[in-house]
Amino acid sequence: MSATMIDYGTLGERAAAGVKPKALSDEQKIARAKEAFIAGMDADMATYLESCIHCGMCAEACHFYLATQDAKYTPIYKLEPLKKVYRRELAPTRWLNRLTTRDITVADLEQWQELAYDSCTQCGRCSLLCPMGIHIQSMIQVVRNGLAAAGLAPAELQAVSDEQRDKASILGAGPDKLREIVERVRAKGIDVPLDKDKAEVLVLSSALDFLKDEGVLAATANIMNKLGASWTIRSDGFESANFGALAGDKQAQKRISKRVIDAAIAAGAKKVIVAECGHAYPVLRWEAATLYGKELPFEFLSVAEYLGQELKAGRLKLKKAGNGSAHVTFHDPCKIGRMGGSFDESRDVLKALGVKLTEMESHGRTNLCCGGGGGVAMLKSAQTLRRKAFELKREEVDRTGAPTVVTACNTCMQNLEMGKAWLNWDKNVVNLVQLVSDNLA
Amino acid sequence: MNEGLYLQGMTLLDFARGPALRWAVVIFVIGVVWRLTALLLASRKPLEPAKGSATAGGVKTLLTRSAPAHELEKNIVFQHYSGYAWHISMFIVLLFFAPHMLFFKDILGFGWPTLPNLFIDFFTVVTIGILLVLLARRLMNPVLRQISTMDDYISWIIAFLPFLSGIMSFKHITFGMSYETVLGLHILSICLLLVWFPFGKLMHALFIWPSRYKVGAAFARRGVRA
């Protein structure tokens, strides 16, 4: 597949240019960060922080540390401001800790922007290695919440988060752009039931897909039509991505995911299919109901999960794939796999397609991140670091000998495409939904 | 007997195995219970339907985290096995040195077989050696240096002293002190350990279990083996 590349970094930078920094004094920044840290801290996190023995083993799971050997990328170190606030304000031994732990400063918070955003994709690999069982990934989000509250989220992410919260669009692509894209898909002879009143399945899309072209939506629509599903895509709740979550702006995250929930309830949907967008899946599947405050009358599925289910039920019928994809390796998107719990469905689909699958050394739950998730792909400041981390991925892919990498996440896809350009790398990168759409029997 | 007179007639050893040890145990027990209950706050209940049993996953991770997956373990071989060697040697010395067993037998009322002293010598040297290597690593490795706190060094000293004083009394390396005094110092080093235990990182011996359980449960809820 020849993908038109979009450079999120440049788009993000353009968006960031419009952001006015919040006029907060140093004291206000610290107070707001502390407030968010304390609000985000729960009993589980307290247990994790109490049990850290400062062994540094988590570094050995992190692609950013492994690629650079720079000590500051040690995952637990990325939590340092949160740890300090916990030690001084919440820990049972705080009276003792105050003697040995210095309070956080604005300089700390500013310095940690790079560590909590640029150098963490929240892939969760370190949480699987820690001998004490510390869930570092879950606490990075609290660090981001604190930095965002202090007005210290990267301007790119904050700008898009504000835009998405207020206008329901991402980088200028909102409901109008969706309608335009739907028309383009229809022009290809593929029906798209836009804004149907009632449907069993609500399909989500993402500006991150259609900023590039209409390909992914066309492929998805093609599959849904072939399955004969009662489905719709709604202009009042179509966006999978959630920049509130990426920026660490919890209120924005809540408001953005509520849009999807409201649209699904209005449509009476039983299933909501989250587009191939990494963070979107765990944010909707594992966080949305709790933020919403109620159990939901429908289920969230990633595209891969839905395809896997339909395959198992015998409704999805596939031809054996020929088009240059006969030998593939599968890149597990961290957010769908390790942080989402879906590994087998994508592999079942590949098996049904009859392709030869060679796994990378790190696959499934221990998969190595491509380096672009968690909003990192948007950050211009993270580009050099991202390239270095990508080297590790490239090595693992190369060792499989497969000419094609299949994945099921838009960001992974973009990052792999970028990697091809950076390294003059001769791999085909294909997304699962496209592969399935091309091979419907 | 008058308490003042009682204290006056006491040797360091009497003090160490009498009131010092008693109070150290009291502080240890109260401290540990307090630290653990402080964490038994209500966890937030997620509203999303789970993909797997959190409880089963928690218990599984609690047991299996001692052996991480190959892809993750290959970079931590040294830390992993030095950790095993240290903890196993420490427990062997603690439980299978004859005088230690007799000390516990006094309290518990039953004993168990012990190891010949030659083995105890060996395991004591292993523990001391590993502690020294790990300290050097903590001081020199940039990853460790930047995440180390006062607690790490205090806890290191407190863990080191019982072995140092233990080998001194066992080998009669007394630097002119009486054997009883050195033995008294050994017991006092244990008292110090018991008193410090609830306040520093030695608590990891207990926190490891809820922490592993929780990470296992969090991942299991999402259908992932942690």
Side-chain angles (χ1 to χ4, degrees), chain A residues 59-70 125 368 392, chain B residues 75:
Chain A
E60 302 292 345
C62 176
H63 47 291
F64 291 123
Y65 173 79
L66 291 172
T68 60
Q69 299 288 313
D70 187 337
R125 200 168 188 248
L368 257 178
L392 302 174
Chain B
N75 298 329

Side-chain angles (χ1 to χ4, degrees), chain A residues 192-329:
Chain A
V192 182
L194 179 69
D195 289 328
K196 250 186 12 187
D197 266 355
K198 293 289 167 200
E200 288 282 310
V201 183
L202 175 68
V203 172
L204 305 184
S205 178
S206 177
L208 298 177
D209 280 330
F210 57 69
L211 273 168
K212 188 174 73 182
D213 58 33
E214 70 281 6
V216 173
L217 185 57
T220 311
N222 188 33
I223 297 169
M224 296 307 293
N225 292 340
K226 183 81 182 184
L227 287 170
S230 146
W231 71 285
T232 187
I233 182 162
R234 289 178 64 114
S235 52
D236 58 351
F238 66 89
E239 182 56 66
S240 301
N242 190 323
F243 276 80
L246 294 178
D249 185 336
K250 210 164 187 173
Q251 287 311 313
Q253 176 182 346
K254 188 175 167 178
R255 201 152 134 198
I256 292 164
S257 59
K258 185 170 178 293
R259 244 175 236 142
V260 171
I261 294 172
D262 290 344
I265 291 174
K270 293 279 163 289
K271 290 177 181 177
V272 176
I273 315 295
V274 185
E276 288 183 336
C277 171
H279 75 277
Y281 177 65
V283 164
L284 287 168
R285 174 67 177 85
W286 299 113
E287 294 175 30
T290 304
L291 277 179
Y292 187 65
K294 264 198 289 233
E295 287 179 28
L296 303 173
F298 56 85
E299 56 175 333
F300 282 113
L301 297 163
S302 71
V303 176
E305 267 181 316
Y306 181 68
L307 294 176
Q309 277 189 7
E310 293 298 297
L311 187 71
K312 206 168 251 174
R315 287 186 289 268
L316 177 65
K317 295 190 173 62
L318 298 169
K319 304 190 281 226
K320 300 293 177 192
N323 54 354
S325 304
H327 183 197
V328 306
T329 187

